């Protein structure tokens, strides 16, 4: 890649020599997958780091979504958010479930609990919210509605690695939460993911389901899938876990600089940290008000792009506007005004552990120069 290009993120990579030592162990053991030692070690280490009771590792962050729905026998309709990565809704589709889109709360970017009840029908069985950008959803209100109607809650927490509210993991909310360890995420194993559950029985069921449904050598208890993480990526994950805190701190410092510099810029909105929340700074979304800023979101996006700054429009377009889903009754712009506005104004600025002061200055200059031109 062009050296002058600034990408939206950069993968956290383990030290190659350390990784090589672990690879040598794998080579010696010749145990490549199926609950190997590094797989077991990583599950244990992640439970401790994330402060969750049970976790099951997967090959990516999409299979845990699909598997959670299978494990809980979810069918009929599931209420979800259109403001996410497309895998959230795809996981419903792959289970023959009809997605019902509900608008978001502009204060969190997550599903709006106040709009949930109106979307519930006799066919509704679950809610699938997303902690988008790692910002906690209004979990207490969501749970209260789920309890009232007897619905399951599965959180797509792909962005929420390490996020805590008042010292408690956000991943402990709902019936289950999923994580993605894709290379673009704060904590990565190149490809990878996990499912977090509340009890040992569900952990057992998920472990069967991710291994074709095998419970022992000759018994298959359910039509499972192959979702097992291999030893190579588990080793990579163990090494990355040691440095993820430093990575999150480096990201936090980038966020501090962005906020300081962009606060006076009219027409550029962003979020501050939420009180009591340990954020992971996985994304830094800004929202462009074209009238106030003097340039549209897309104009700014392409200006950044021209200058080698590869910011991203996460999440544009909305999932509900893709061809598979746009025909659904809940997919209209009228039903989703807040999500539509957010998708039309958002730019996620580069944020990662290797971003230099010079990079940040270059990005800020590009954003602030357009604004000052308008002021003259
Ligand atoms: C990345 C992501 C996924 C999918 O994870 P993969 O590991 O790429 O399969 C699911 N949901 C959200 C919100 C994501 O950002």
């Amino acid at each position: 890649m062009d050296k002058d290009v600034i990408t939206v993120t950069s993968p956290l990579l383990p030290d190659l020599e350390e990784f090589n030592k672990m690879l040598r162990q794998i080579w010696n053991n010749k145990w490549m997958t199926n609950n190997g030692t590094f797989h077991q070690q990583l599950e244990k280490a992640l439970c401790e780091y994330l402060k969750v009771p049970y976790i099951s590792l997967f090959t990516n962050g999409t299979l845990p979504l699909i598997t959670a729905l299978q494990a809980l026998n979810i069918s009929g309709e599931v209420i979800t958010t259109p403001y996410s990565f497309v895998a959230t809704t795809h996981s419903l589709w792959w289970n023959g479930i009809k997605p019902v889109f509900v608008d978001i709360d502009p204060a969190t970017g997550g599903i709006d609990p106040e709009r949930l009840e109106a979307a519930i029908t006799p066919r509704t069985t679950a809610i699938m919210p997303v902690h988008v950008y790692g910002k906690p959803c209004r979990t207490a209100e969501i749970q209260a509605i789920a309890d009232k109607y007897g619905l399951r809650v599965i959180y797509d927490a792909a962005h929420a690695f390490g996020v805590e509210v008042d010292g408690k993991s956000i991943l402990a909310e709902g019936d289950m939460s999923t994580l993605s360890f894709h290379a673009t995420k704060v904590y990565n194993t190149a490809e990878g993911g996990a499912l977090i559950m509340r009890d040992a029985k569900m952990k057992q069921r998920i472990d069967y389901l991710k291994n074709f449904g095998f419970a022992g050598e000759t018994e298959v208890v359910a039509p499972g899938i192959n979702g097992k993480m291999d030893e190579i990526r588990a080793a990579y994950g163990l090494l990355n876990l040691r440095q993820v805190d430093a990575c999150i701190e480096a990201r936090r410092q980038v966020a501090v600089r962005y906020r300081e510099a962009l606060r006076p810029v009219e027409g550029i909105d962003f979020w501050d940290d939420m009180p009591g929340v340990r954020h992971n700074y996985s994304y830094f979304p800004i929202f462009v008000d074209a009238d106030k800023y003097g340039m549209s979101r897309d104009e700014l996006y392409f200006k950044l792009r021209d200058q080698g700054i590869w910011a991203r429009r996460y999440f544009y377009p909305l999932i509900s506007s893709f061809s598979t889903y746009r025909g659904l009754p809940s997919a209209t712009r009228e039903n989703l005004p807040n999500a539509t506005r957010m998708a039309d104004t958002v730019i996620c600025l580069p944020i990662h552990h290797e971003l230099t002061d010079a990079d940040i200055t270059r990005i800020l200059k590009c954003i602030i120069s357009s604004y000052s031109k308008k002021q003259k």
Side-chain angles (χ1 to χ4, degrees):
M1 193 181 300
D2 188 334
K3 262 217 139 0
D4 282 341
V5 165
I6 302 175
T7 48
V8 73
T9 190
S10 176
L12 181 64
L13 293 169
D15 180 82
L16 250 188
E17 272 174 36
E18 292 289 319
F19 190 41
N20 218 352
K21 279 187 215 155
M22 294 176 89
L23 288 179
R24 191 160 300 282
Q25 283 185 57
I26 298 170
W27 261 236
N28 289 340
N29 292 338
K30 300 186 200 293
W31 185 324
M32 305 311 291
T33 184
N34 287 39
N35 202 26
T37 44
F38 289 142
H39 183 284
Q40 290 175 32
Q41 283 175 34
L42 184 56
E43 285 194 346
K44 191 160 173 284
L46 282 171
C47 278
E48 279 164 27
Y49 180 86
L50 298 170
K51 303 183 187 168
V52 295
Y54 299 97
I55 197 167
S56 184
L57 295 173
F58 278 80
T59 42
N60 60 53
T62 303
L63 280 169
L65 288 166
I66 292 173
T67 308
L69 293 162
Q70 281 282 317
L72 296 170
N73 287 312
I74 304 298
S75 63
E77 296 176 1
V78 170
I79 297 173
T80 189
T81 168
Y83 195 78
S84 179
F85 181 61
V86 72
T88 312
T89 311
H90 281 351
S91 72
L92 300 174
W93 205 259
W94 274 67
N95 278 281
I97 294 162
K98 181 180 172 188
V100 175
F101 296 112
V102 160
D103 204 12
I104 57 169
D105 165 13
T108 66
I111 205 160
D112 185 349
E114 284 160 41
R115 293 171 195 255
L116 281 176
E117 282 195 273
I120 295 172
T121 76
R123 287 172 52 78
T124 309
T125 53
I127 307 169
M128 184 177 273
V130 179
H131 302 296
V132 73
Y133 309 128
K135 261 179 95 71
C137 288
R138 287 158 63 183
T139 52
E141 289 157 272
I142 292 169
Q143 194 60 53
I145 292 163
D147 290 345
K148 183 171 163 192
Y149 291 90
L151 307 177
R152 298 289 196 166
V153 184
I154 300 162
Y155 282 101
D156 180 340
H159 302 170
F161 185 89
V163 173
E164 294 175 10
V165 181
D166 298 326
K168 191 176 166 238
S169 174
I170 194 75
L171 304 169
E173 298 291 339
D175 291 282
M176 289 196 234
S177 290
T178 67
L179 285 169
S180 165
F181 305 152
H182 184 257
T184 53
K185 308 297 207 270
V186 165
Y187 169 81
N188 85 92
T189 58
E191 291 269 5
L195 190 50
I196 287 136
M197 61 290 282
R198 291 174 164 276
D199 58 66
K201 214 172 136 205
M202 185 54 77
K203 154 87 173 147
Q204 178 69 265
R205 180 159 170 76
I206 297 296
D207 285 348
Y208 291 158
L209 281 176
K210 77 173 181 192
N211 186 27
F212 311 98
F214 273 108
E217 203 181 317
T218 52
E219 200 187 353
V220 169
V221 293
I225 194 144
N226 182 3
K228 294 169 271 112
M229 181 184 277
D230 60 77
E231 286 294 277
I232 297 172
R233 284 187 279 164
Y236 178 114
L238 277 165
L239 292 174
N240 261 355
L241 197 55
R242 295 185 195 160
Q243 41 173 6
V244 71
D245 279 337
C247 166
I248 290 173
E249 173 54 23
R251 286 167 170 270
R252 189 188 67 79
Q253 288 175 21
V254 177
V256 167
R257 279 209 56 194
Y258 278 150
R259 286 175 184 153
E260 221 171 67
L262 294 176
R263 204 172 297 281
V265 181
E266 218 186 317
I268 299 288
D269 274 341
F270 53 84
W271 283 309
D272 283 301
D273 285 356
M274 293 162 77
V277 173
R278 184 212 189 221
H279 290 279
N280 65 11
Y281 308 95
S282 46
Y283 300 88
F284 194 89
I286 60 167
F287 305 98
V288 184
D289 180 329
D291 290 338
K292 288 188 191 149
Y293 179 65
M295 196 184 246
S296 73
R297 186 276 305 273
D298 283 346
E299 284 170 325
L300 177 58
Y301 171 76
F302 287 111
K303 183 185 169 193
L304 287 162
R305 186 89 192 183
D306 285 346
Q307 299 194 10
I309 300 161
W310 292 9
R312 297 294 303 268
R313 288 168 292 181
Y314 300 140
F315 286 96
Y316 166 84
L318 289 179
I319 300 175
S320 48
S321 63
F322 291 125
S323 59
T324 317
Y325 306 115
R326 72 166 70 115
L328 291 168
S330 62
T332 62
R333 290 171 72 94
E334 295 70 44
N335 186 45
L336 308 165
N338 294 330
T340 301
R341 194 172 319 112
M342 207 171 274
D344 286 346
T345 57
V346 71
I347 300 179
C348 284
L349 297 183
I351 188 165
H352 59 79
H353 61 294
E354 287 170 328
L355 212 59
T356 65
D357 279 348
D359 292 336
I360 299 169
T361 304
R362 204 172 117 202
I363 295 160
L364 287 169
K365 235 186 208 154
C366 184
I367 300 170
I368 293 167
S369 69
S370 319
Y371 172 69
S372 17
K373 223 174 283 155
K374 178 218 156 193
Q375 300 299 299
K376 279 174 201 154

